[in-house]
Amino acid sequence: MTSIREKLFPASEGIVPLVSLANLLIPLLVLVLYEPPLRIGIGLSLLLLFVIAYREQFWRTAHAQLFIIIQLIVILIFMIFYHPVYAYIGFLLAMSLSKQSLRFMRIVAVVFTMAVVILTIPLYVKTGIVILFVMLPPLFGVCCTPFILYNQTNYKQMAERLKAATEQLERMAQQEERQRIARELHDTLGHTLSLISLKGELMGKLVVRAPEKAQQEAKEISETARAALKQMRELVTTMRVVGLHEEYTHAKALCAAAGIAFTITDPCYMDAKPERLPLSPLQETILAMSFRETLTNIVRHSRASACSADLEIEEGLVRLVVTDDGIGIDQERMKQASGSGIAGLKQRLALVDGFLTVESEPGQGTQIALHIPRTIRNERVGAAG
C-alpha cells in the first residue's frame, strides 16, 4: 500500500491525496449507471484526464496552476454537458487551491460560482429550493475551504515564526544577562580576589621570617574576604528580581489562552497591594522561574481543564503547590521526565537549597510542590562563622 501511494503521490503529502480520490467514486457510479455508452466513454476519458492532472500537480508544483485549470475545465464540462451536481468533484481542488496565490484562488472562486449559479437557475424552476441546498456544499468546498486552509497554514507559519523569534529574544536576553553578570563579577570581584591571592602568597613567605607581619596579613585577608562577600551580596541584590506575583499574571493569561481554569491561593498575592514573600530576591526569582516552567509544562502536556497554585508559608519553608486535573504521569514517563524538565527544576531549586516533590497517577492529574527554605545553608554557615 505504501509503495503504491508513493508512486502515485510524493511521500511528503502523506495519504491525504489518495484518500481524496474517493470523492470520484459516486460521480463514477452515477456516470456508469445513468448514461448511455457514448457518454460513458467520454465521461471516463474526462475523469482519467482529471486524475492525471490531479496527480501531476503534486509532482510538478511549478505548473500546479495549469493542472488545477485543467481539473476545473473538466468539472465545468461535466456540469454543463452532464449535470450540475458533478460540481461535487470540486472538493478535490480545495487542498491544492489553498497552496496557490490569493489572486488565483479568487479567480477560480469567481468562475466556479458563476458556473454554479448559471447552471442552477434552470434546475431551480423544476426542482425548487432543494437544488440550492444540493449545490451549496460544493460551492463552499471550492470557494471557501481553500481560503480557510490558506489562512490556517499562514497562521501556523506565523505562530512558528513567532515562537522562534520569542525563543531567540529569550536567548539574547539570557546572553545579555550573563555578559552583564560576568562584567560585574570581573569589575567588582576581580581586583579583590587578585589582592587576596597576592596577600596569601606574601603571608606564606612571612610565616617563618616575620610571624607578626604574617598575622597582620592574615587579618587583612579576612577583612578583604568579608568585603568581597558583601560585594557579592550587593551584586545579587541588584540583579533583576522576578516577582512571583508577576508570574501569576502571566499564568492567568497563559491558562486563559489554553482554556484552562486557573485559581490562586496566596496570602501575599490576595491583598490589594501584594506583599513581599519572606524570601530573598534570589530565592523569589528561583521560585518564580520554577513556577513558570511548571505551568508551561502543564499547558503543553497535561491536557488539563483546571489548574491551581497554592502558596504555603511555614516557619522555615515556603512551599508552592501546583495541581492540575490532566492526564497525569505514569512511572515510566516520570523516569523520562526526570531526565529533562523535572531534572532542570531540581537543579534550579538546588541553587537555593530548594527541592520539589511530584505526585501523579495516570488519568488522575499531577501535583508538583516547589519547596524553598527561608534560610539558605551558605548564609547559615556564614552567620555561624
Side-chain angles (χ1 to χ4, degrees):
M1 178 66 179
T2 302
S3 60
I4 295 175
R5 173 177 59 80
E6 291 180 352
K7 288 180 180 179
L8 289 175
F9 303 101
S12 59
E13 296 293 336
I15 199 172
V16 175
L18 185 61
V19 173
S20 298
L21 284 176
N23 287 288
L24 293 178
L25 291 178
I26 294 178
L28 180 61
L29 184 63
V30 172
L31 179 67
V32 173
L33 293 179
Y34 297 101
E35 297 292 343
L38 179 60
R39 288 170 64 85
I40 290 175
I42 296 174
L44 291 176
S45 300
L46 289 172
L47 286 178
L48 179 61
L49 177 62
F50 182 93
V51 171
I52 293 173
Y54 178 79
R55 176 185 181 274
E56 290 301 312
Q57 71 186 358
F58 292 100
W59 291 104
R60 304 182 186 182
T61 54
H63 304 287
Q65 291 186 3
L66 173 61
F67 293 113
I68 291 174
I69 292 173
I70 293 174
Q71 294 172 75
L72 182 62
I73 292 173
V74 171
I75 295 172
L76 293 177
I77 292 174
F78 269 112
M79 292 172 63
I80 295 171
F81 296 101
Y82 286 82
H83 196 282
V85 174
Y86 280 93
Y88 276 81
I89 302 175
F91 277 107
L92 276 78
L93 297 178
M95 183 171 59
S96 304
L97 276 173
S98 67
K99 300 177 182 179
Q100 308 306 315
S101 65
L102 283 173
R103 182 173 178 271
F104 183 77
M105 290 165 59
R106 293 191 186 103
I107 293 173
V108 172
V110 170
V111 171
F112 191 81
T113 301
M114 291 176 61
V116 169
V117 171
I118 293 172
L119 295 173
T120 302
I121 290 175
L123 291 176
Y124 177 77
V125 177
K126 297 179 181 179
T127 62
I129 198 171
V130 175
I131 191 63
L132 298 181
F133 291 101
V134 172
M135 299 304 294
L136 279 177
L139 196 62
F140 179 86
V142 176
C143 301
C144 298
T145 303
F147 293 94
I148 296 174
L149 295 175
Y150 178 86
N151 290 328
Q152 184 180 17
T153 302
N154 281 354
Y155 175 79
K156 183 178 179 180
Q157 292 175 350
M158 288 177 61
E160 291 175 352
R161 288 196 293 266
L162 179 60
K163 181 181 178 182
T166 302
E167 291 175 351
Q168 180 64 19
L169 287 174
E170 289 180 354
R171 286 194 293 268
M172 292 174 63
Q174 291 173 357
Q175 183 64 25
E176 180 64 25
E177 186 69 8
R178 291 191 188 102
Q179 292 176 354
R180 186 187 72 81
I181 293 173
R183 288 194 300 268
E184 291 283 351
L185 288 172
H186 181 271
D187 297 340
T188 305
L189 299 179
H191 175 73
T192 303
L193 294 176
S194 298
L195 180 60
I196 290 175
S197 176
L198 291 173
K199 283 185 173 294
E201 294 176 1
L202 178 60
M203 186 182 70
K205 297 177 181 179
L206 293 176
V207 168
V208 178
R209 292 183 297 175
E212 295 181 357
K213 289 186 178 180
Q215 291 179 356
Q216 181 63 30
E217 291 295 334
K219 182 179 179 181
E220 292 180 3
I221 289 175
S222 178
E223 292 175 352
T224 304
R226 290 195 186 95
L229 180 60
K230 181 180 178 182
Q231 290 173 337
M232 174 62 76
R233 286 174 176 167
E234 290 175 351
L235 174 61
V236 172
T237 303
T238 56
M239 288 182 186
R240 180 181 180 271
V241 178
V242 179
L244 186 58
H245 66 279
E246 297 176 2
E247 289 305 317
Y248 285 152
T249 303
H250 172 73
K252 285 182 175 180
L254 182 62
C255 287
I260 300 175
F262 179 61
T263 57
I264 303 170
T265 304
D266 183 340
C268 298
Y269 179 77
M270 301 298 287
D271 297 336
K273 294 182 179 180
E275 299 178 4
R276 279 295 308 277
L277 288 174
L279 297 173
S280 69
L282 179 60
Q283 287 176 308
E284 183 172 358
T285 297
I286 294 295
L287 180 60
M289 293 173 66
S290 299
F291 170 68
R292 178 194 303 175
E293 183 174 347
T294 300
L295 195 76
T296 300
N297 289 334
I298 289 174
V299 171
R300 286 180 177 175
H301 308 298
S302 72
R303 304 180 193 172
S305 60
C307 175
S308 64
D310 302 293
L311 186 75
E312 304 169 1
I313 300 176
E314 300 177 359
E315 183 176 352
L317 187 74
V318 172
R319 178 169 47 248
L320 181 60
V321 182
V322 185
T323 308
D324 69 71
D325 63 352
I327 59 176
I329 309 174
D330 58 29
Q331 294 299 322
E332 187 63 28
R333 288 183 59 201
M334 189 83 74
K335 293 178 182 178
Q336 296 175 359
S338 298
S340 53
I342 299 296
L345 283 172
K346 289 180 178 178
Q347 292 172 1
R348 179 175 291 148
L349 291 169
L351 295 174
V352 289
D353 296 339
F355 62 96
L356 66 82
T357 56
V358 181
E359 297 180 8
S360 181
E361 291 293 338
Q364 299 182 15
T366 304
Q367 183 183 89
I368 297 179
L370 311 173
H371 304 76
I372 302 286
R374 294 176 64 173
T375 304
I376 300 178
R377 183 169 54 251
N378 291 342
E379 293 181 354
R380 293 198 299 266
V381 173

